[in-house]
Amino acid sequence: MTTSTRARTSTSTGNRGETVNPASPVIDTEGVTALLERGRRLATPELRAAVDRLAPPMDTVAAYHFGWIDAAGAPSAGDGGKAVRPALALLSAEAAGAPPETGIPGAVAVELVHNFSLLHDDLMDGDEQRRHRDTVWKVHGPAQAILVGDALFALANEILLELGTVDAGRAARRLTVATRKLIDGQAQDISYEHRDRVTVAECLEMEGNKTGALLACAVSIGAVLGGASDRTADILEKYGYHLGLAFQAVDDLLGIWGDPEATGKQTWSDLRQRKKSLPVVAALDAGGPASEKLARILADDAKKSETEIADFTEAEFASRAALIEEAGGREWTSEEARRQHATAIAALDEIDMPEAVRGQLVALADFVVVRKR
Amino acid sequence: MTTSTRARTSTSTGNRGETVNPASPVIDTEGVTALLERGRRLATPELRAAVDRLAPPMDTVAAYHFGWIDAAGAPSAGDGGKAVRPALALLSAEAAGAPPETGIPGAVAVELVHNFSLLHDDLMDGDEQRRHRDTVWKVHGPAQAILVGDALFALANEILLELGTVDAGRAARRLTVATRKLIDGQAQDISYEHRDRVTVAECLEMEGNKTGALLACAVSIGAVLGGASDRTADILEKYGYHLGLAFQAVDDLLGIWGDPEATGKQTWSDLRQRKKSLPVVAALDAGGPASEKLARILADDAKKSETEIADFTEAEFASRAALIEEAGGREWTSEEARRQHATAIAALDEIDMPEAVRGQLVALADFVVVRKR
């Protein structure tokens, strides 16, 4: 990180919710909305049918987690998330020249694995809120969070393997490898919590495992189900992996400077959790007076109890966020999102695919870095 | 349950550790010991190599769970369990005319799934001891128990799917279906805990899911990897499922009347946990004065706290065990083990296999019902 970066950053307006200006100047918002909507429309009925296979009470607990019912069991039009992964899985099939429907079992399997990891991570991390609602372990207890997570993971494999084809086996293998990385990433995340310092490289490795691996799988799984070669799948995964890192860099920006109305999280959410996210780690790595002052303050915070941190005023969090920004952590993370975004898009040039599909993958990448939630 | 059963049972000596007399009068103990030893010898190195793939600290936590190291990390020759499943997976390959080695990835995958379920179940059930040692959540904390369980489950699929064959996909599918049943069984087990009464049929369904399904998979997985037809695999699963129910009936007997020296559990272990196991459920279903007295006492016990139950004297547990026996629960469960044992062995007649393999499957079934641990 250079001095000029820090200088530029310290003059930032610090607007809440402002994230990244992507390389592409015009975002095809309508096109992306249609893509995400198509993913939801095609994958959700199959996802619900898969979850309906679960024995009671796991079916109900899972339906609550997905936002299809409320805690009392009444139907609900809850927030099912951004649905980036299903949209990618369908585009993935099209990238291999197959109809989007070929990617549906892949979309469902990836969503099941993603939600398995949310259920378990929320419990391990003690997170009480997800998508503006109480988390499953908070409502239904830790045992149900473990059990339903396990069931969703098993179901993901079942959905793929019952297709009974060699390509389905290849898809299931890629999903399994991605899931292991997801688990590795969560293990790293937990171990970093107990450490005073984490390097930027370690943080990126962890985020690549936690977010990159499964997005990568979403972008390859439809193509594999459509009979794509391993080389094509690997390059699509490269796009997805860097897209995931861009996605996560933006998430880390939103975790500090995001608008609670949009994100559904508390203000300064990641600071409340003392999360060693990219902006924090980059700021600590940067050196200089703001970085050193931040390091002293965070070292003090580390000795405090969770209750003491929860009792911080808005101003106390805001002053920490300002120091992170002054040390260059915000700007570095924005630039990292742009770098990962560019690497992702460049990977697409390594393989042939229909131009329309390439355009949509680029538009999705643009969307990921400008999103506010 | 007949009056004569109850009469016979009430004259039983109640010897600790006495379980079931199998249909076959002579048990080939040496042959079974050799089979179990072969399973351990061929599968353990591959199992250890698989677990070594886990990122730290998960590799260490898993090695502790398997008994390869102690809590301080020093190598240990711990009790790795009976290793019935690996032995079955190798025999399964031979049943399909393949060499036993063909079954090794299946043996490893089934052991990984079995241990995934132990890690998660011990945490959900709050069990503090397993194989004479503290459980993983007790030593390494709940997050590691969840995480390493997840990792072992993923690894199981990885080991099979990286074989890259159609048969490996079929094997992985069967394993996934078995895992879902395992999870269903644990969900039932948890829900039964909160109920006053459970029927014998419900208890058998739960035990079929928790124990039968994975044993069934162990007996089919080697054959599937060896190219066996779905029909052959289904019939092998039938043998394994009923073997599992026999195994579980014996486990339930040992859970009350087992010798702590042999089982590694406390005296009256299942009574301390107020477990609605087969002998209890059968005794409550039987009717008659002992059954009614037992029902009143257990209804009273249900209102007590865990600490109050833990403070019971040996005599208080012994009097409950005596009532279960007097009401016929012990004898019914012994007979149920014999019935399931006979059904398992009869299934083997539906398919062709080398006579030596059939003989070994029969010997293993005999062993399962006479075991003391």
Side-chain angles (χ1 to χ4, degrees), chain B:
Chain B
M1 198 167 307
T2 63
T3 310
S4 69
T5 304
R6 280 207 303 281
R8 238 190 299 133
T9 312
S10 58
T11 62
S12 152
T13 59
N15 279 343
R16 192 178 282 290
E18 179 192 297
T19 49
V20 182
N21 295 316
S24 333
V26 182
I27 309 291
D28 176 12
T29 313
E30 257 181 55
V32 170
T33 304
L35 268 180
L36 296 177
E37 180 45 37
R38 180 182 76 165
R40 261 192 220 97
R41 195 182 67 244
L42 292 180
T44 306
E46 299 298 317
L47 182 62
R48 294 190 76 146
V51 167
D52 276 346
R53 294 189 196 182
L54 299 181
M58 293 184 288
D59 52 351
T60 308
V61 175
Y64 171 76
H65 170 76
F66 281 105
W68 302 330
I69 58 172
D70 64 22
S76 135
D79 173 5
K82 287 170 285 291
V84 171
R85 290 170 197 80
L88 284 172
L90 303 190
L91 270 178
S92 167
E94 291 180 295
E101 287 77 10
T102 303
I104 292 177
V108 171
V110 166
E111 277 301 271
L112 289 169
V113 165
H114 174 55
N115 285 283
F116 138 75
S117 79
L118 296 182
L119 279 164
H120 283 191
D121 289 2
D122 283 344
L123 174 59
M124 285 184 253
D125 301 342
D127 288 342
E128 302 187 357
Q129 291 273 310
R130 153 95 43 207
R131 297 171 188 157
H132 307 250
R133 310 188 322 153
D134 283 345
T135 46
V136 163
W137 71 265
K138 190 89 180 139
V139 177
H140 295 281
Q144 289 300 327
I146 296 172
L147 212 50
V148 175
D150 292 345
L152 296 184
F153 182 16
L155 207 48
N157 286 298
E158 195 173 308
I159 294 293
L160 289 175
L161 292 169
E162 69 193 7
L163 297 173
T165 62
V166 173
D167 287 332
R170 293 170 63 215
R173 182 178 176 193
R174 281 181 187 264
L175 182 62
T176 295
V177 170
T179 307
R180 287 242 293 118
K181 288 189 185 156
L182 209 64
I183 296 166
D184 285 352
Q186 173 68 3
Q188 289 164 329
D189 203 2
I190 288 174
S191 80
Y192 294 172
E193 263 174 40
H194 305 292
R195 282 169 43 180
D196 290 339
R197 284 295 273 271
V198 174
T199 66
V200 166
E202 287 172 326
C203 189
L204 287 173
E205 192 196 335
M206 183 267 282
E207 296 192 342
N209 281 330
K210 272 195 92 159
T211 309
L214 195 62
L215 269 185
C217 185
V219 191
S220 72
I221 201 164
V224 170
L225 291 173
S229 70
D230 282 338
R231 178 176 172 271
T232 296
D234 287 344
I235 289 166
L236 287 170
E237 292 208 351
K238 191 166 156 192
Y239 159 87
Y241 182 81
H242 291 286
L243 181 68
L245 281 172
F247 185 97
Q248 192 55 53
V250 172
D251 232 46
D252 285 355
L253 290 167
L254 293 173
I256 299 178
W257 295 281
D259 176 358
E261 287 284 314
T263 61
K265 295 175 181 170
Q266 286 183 284
T267 52
W268 321 110
S269 162
D270 286 353
L271 298 183
R272 290 177 195 276
Q273 293 182 51
R274 289 179 278 195
K275 209 174 138 184
K276 296 186 184 74
S277 66
L278 269 186
V280 176
V281 170
L284 291 172
D285 258 19
S291 175
E292 283 155 24
K293 188 172 172 194
L294 178 70
R296 282 192 302 276
I297 289 174
L298 294 187
D300 263 0
D301 288 355
K303 294 176 202 137
K304 297 195 166 89
S305 73
E306 277 183 34
T307 325
E308 287 173 284
I309 301 289
D311 285 346
F312 276 7
T313 61
E314 287 286 312
E316 284 175 293
F317 287 119
S319 73
R320 281 156 181 78
L323 272 176
I324 294 167
E325 190 162 350
E326 200 183 327
R330 186 177 188 176
E331 180 61 20
W332 187 88
T333 306
S334 292
E335 290 195 347
E336 177 65 10
R338 274 191 287 270
R339 280 190 294 271
Q340 296 291 352
H341 170 270
T343 310
I345 288 172
L348 297 176
D349 290 334
E350 297 179 44
I351 43 171
D352 285 330
M353 68 175 79
E355 274 316 304
V357 177
R358 188 188 311 272
Q360 288 172 316
L361 288 170
V362 170
L364 257 177
D366 292 348
F367 162 76
V368 155
V369 290
V370 295
R371 71 199 169 87
K372 301 275 184 283
R373 52 177 285 249

Side-chain angles (χ1 to χ4, degrees), chain A residues 227-267:
Chain A
S229 70
D230 282 337
R231 178 176 172 271
T232 297
D234 287 344
I235 289 167
L236 288 170
E237 292 209 351
K238 191 167 157 189
Y239 159 86
Y241 182 81
H242 292 286
L243 180 69
L245 281 171
F247 186 98
Q248 192 55 51
V250 173
D251 231 47
D252 285 355
L253 290 168
L254 294 174
I256 298 178
W257 295 282
D259 176 359
E261 288 283 314
T263 61
K265 294 175 180 171
Q266 284 184 284
T267 53

Side-chain angles (χ1 to χ4, degrees), chain A residues 65 118 121-122 127-135 264:
Chain A
H65 170 77
L118 296 182
D121 289 1
D122 284 343
D127 288 342
E128 302 187 357
Q129 291 272 310
R130 155 95 44 208
R131 297 172 188 157
H132 306 250
R133 310 185 326 150
D134 284 345
T135 45

Side-chain angles (χ1 to χ4, degrees), chain A residues 147-159:
Chain A
L147 211 49
V148 175
D150 292 345
L152 295 184
F153 182 17
L155 209 46
N157 286 299
E158 194 173 307
I159 294 293

